[in-house]
Amino acid sequence: MASTSVSSSFKLLFVYSLLFFSQYFIVSSKGQGLPPIVKGLSWTFFDSSCPQLQSIVRKRLEKVFKDDIGQAAGLLRLHFHDCFVQGCDGSVMLDGSAGGPSEKTAIPNQTLRKESFKIIEDLRERVHKECGRIVSCSDIAALAARDAVVLSGGPNYVVPLGRRDGLNFATETATIDNLVAPTANTTTLLTRLATKGFDATDVVALSGAHTIGISHCGSFTERLYPNQDSTMDQTFANNLKRSCPKADSNNTVNMDVRTPNVFDNKYYVDLMNRQGLFTSDQDLFTDQRTRGIVTSFGTDQKVFFDKFVIAMIKMGQLNVSTGGQGEIRAKCSVRNKNKLLVDVVEGLEKTLAAAF
């Protein structure tokens, strides 16, 4: 009898211990060692109102990537281009209007995959059908970028949610000014990204997103023609010239020559072997300020993954709209009509009030 009682007590203690430690690890995974989150975002924002949100996104993207793993890089790049211009507000998804061309059609964004926009819209429809119009396109884009990393072999990480969609898109000038060109050197990269709160480790880690995806020849042929960049491996250069026989070739090549469809640290191995595609890539190894970081990532994938997660969480919070700011779009490419009407009415009211 006593033995049974002790056994039962032990089992109960064991269960309580499991509950305690599982709760501890849940809290740790959603906060410990990660960047602080901005006011208005939360690690658990939709846990009650749309608990199936992340599984909807993940399961759909599993099917998408099974059919075409190349779409992973497209979704990751879409999130980058959205966040760096005027914040992670989904403005890059907006179509143009009578007031001018959209951010989407600005020169740096013309090579964003059209299918990426369609995938985000498809995810929005699925999420809104299940949960109602409570999840923004910008939140869906952040989750899709995370799942693009995970499902192509990269690290899993939590994404703070609660973003609202922006009401306006950026001008072409603002877009160009905020997206660093592939021809930029490390000084430009470090200077431009420092204004957004990123240090050298963040910059090198975010550049690691180039471990998946493709590039058009025009983004790097200045390193081949008329004279070859001396920092480029000769065999690598010869292979690129076969794919891009002229400076204005419109062909595409893989960003990472070793594992182009796998999110890993081989991008840094490429740089260490002078096989970086862009000037902005290879110069990270040439420049003494970032060479050591490249080497550490190239020799230890876990170090890269840990730093990439931190940089991505920081990037995903750039100038976000939260609370009563912005809106939750009913369609990712179009600003809500009712919101526009409200703005017009409020504008008229203010004008009339000032007049009388």
Side-chain angles (χ1 to χ4, degrees):
M1 188 75 174
S3 176
T4 302
S5 177
V6 171
S7 177
S8 297
S9 298
F10 178 79
K11 289 179 180 177
L12 190 60
L13 179 62
F14 180 71
V15 170
Y16 279 133
S17 297
L18 283 178
L19 288 173
F20 172 79
F21 282 112
S22 65
Q23 180 65 26
Y24 171 78
F25 284 122
I26 289 171
V27 172
S28 296
S29 68
K30 291 186 176 181
Q32 186 170 309
L34 298 178
I37 56 176
V38 301
K39 184 178 180 181
L41 297 186
S42 168
W43 301 115
T44 59
F45 197 89
F46 294 109
D47 282 8
S48 297
S49 58
C50 188
Q52 59 276 63
L53 166 61
Q54 301 204 36
S55 65
I56 292 172
V57 174
R58 177 70 63 89
K59 288 177 181 178
R60 180 56 183 167
L61 290 181
E62 284 175 348
K63 184 180 186 307
V64 170
F65 298 157
K66 184 178 181 181
D67 294 336
D68 182 5
I69 189 59
Q71 298 303 332
L75 290 171
L76 184 57
R77 187 166 180 244
L78 178 67
H79 184 48
F80 269 69
H81 280 229
D82 183 37
C83 291
F84 274 119
V85 177
Q86 61 180 24
C88 309
D89 64 350
S91 58
V92 73
M93 303 178 214
L94 286 171
D95 289 335
S97 66
S102 69
E103 186 177 328
K104 185 190 297 185
T105 58
I107 292 174
N109 291 332
Q110 289 177 5
T111 54
L112 290 175
R113 297 189 186 210
K114 291 181 173 58
E115 190 63 25
S116 298
F117 297 100
K118 294 178 182 178
I119 292 170
I120 296 296
E121 181 60 24
D122 173 65
L123 290 172
R124 182 206 59 75
E125 290 179 358
R126 292 168 184 272
V127 169
H128 286 188
K129 181 179 180 180
E130 188 68 31
C131 301
R133 184 155 57 93
I134 61 171
V135 184
S136 67
C137 297
S138 47
D139 265 351
I140 291 171
L143 289 173
R146 187 272 310 277
D147 287 352
V149 170
V150 175
L151 295 175
S152 55
N156 200 358
Y157 58 94
V158 288
V159 177
L161 299 171
R163 298 167 189 77
R164 305 269 293 180
D165 294 321
L167 303 178
N168 300 291
F169 47 73
T171 64
E172 180 162 14
T173 299
T175 303
I176 293 172
D177 288 346
N178 283 280
L179 292 174
V180 181
T183 55
N185 60 21
T186 299
T187 295
T188 300
L189 273 173
L190 295 178
T191 302
R192 296 273 286 275
L193 270 66
T195 64
K196 299 181 185 298
F198 296 107
D199 61 23
T201 300
D202 296 325
V203 172
V204 178
L206 290 174
S207 297
H210 287 170
T211 189
I212 56 175
I214 59 176
S215 170
H216 288 83
C217 295
S219 295
F220 58 84
T221 48
E222 93 288 344
R223 300 186 67 205
L224 299 173
Y225 309 109
N227 301 307
Q228 183 184 312
D229 186 333
S230 61
T231 66
M232 185 181 285
D233 172 73
Q234 188 59 58
T235 300
F236 180 58
N238 292 341
N239 290 335
L240 289 178
K241 288 176 181 177
R242 279 192 285 271
S243 298
C244 308
K246 297 186 296 182
D248 60 352
S249 298
N250 198 36
N251 297 330
T252 59
V253 301
N254 291 321
M255 296 286 293
D256 175 1
V257 296
R258 285 172 168 77
T259 53
N261 293 319
V262 180
F263 195 99
D264 56 19
N265 69 334
K266 296 301 185 291
Y267 161 82
Y268 301 102
V269 177
D270 295 341
L271 302 190
M272 293 164 68
N273 285 277
R274 299 192 298 128
Q275 296 167 336
L277 194 60
F278 298 159
T279 298
S280 60
D281 294 322
Q282 191 58 54
D283 202 49
L284 292 173
F285 187 67
T286 303
D287 195 300
Q288 292 300 317
R289 291 171 294 179
T290 48
R291 186 183 186 113
I293 305 171
V294 170
T295 302
S296 68
F297 290 173
T299 54
D300 191 332
Q301 182 165 278
K302 184 180 183 305
V303 173
F304 162 49
F305 280 2
D306 289 346
K307 297 303 183 182
F308 180 79
V309 165
I310 290 171
M312 282 295 288
I313 293 174
K314 289 172 68 173
M315 187 192 78
Q317 300 184 78
L318 288 174
N319 298 328
V320 292
S321 296
T322 61
Q325 302 169 324
E327 64 183 7
I328 305 296
R329 287 187 210 137
K331 186 176 182 181
C332 292
S333 60
V334 182
R335 181 179 166 179
N336 293 340
K337 292 182 180 179
N338 60 333
K339 178 66 178 175
L340 180 61
L341 180 60
V342 168
D343 286 352
V344 171
V345 172
E346 287 179 349
L348 288 173
E349 288 175 347
K350 289 179 181 178
T351 301
L352 290 172
F356 295 99

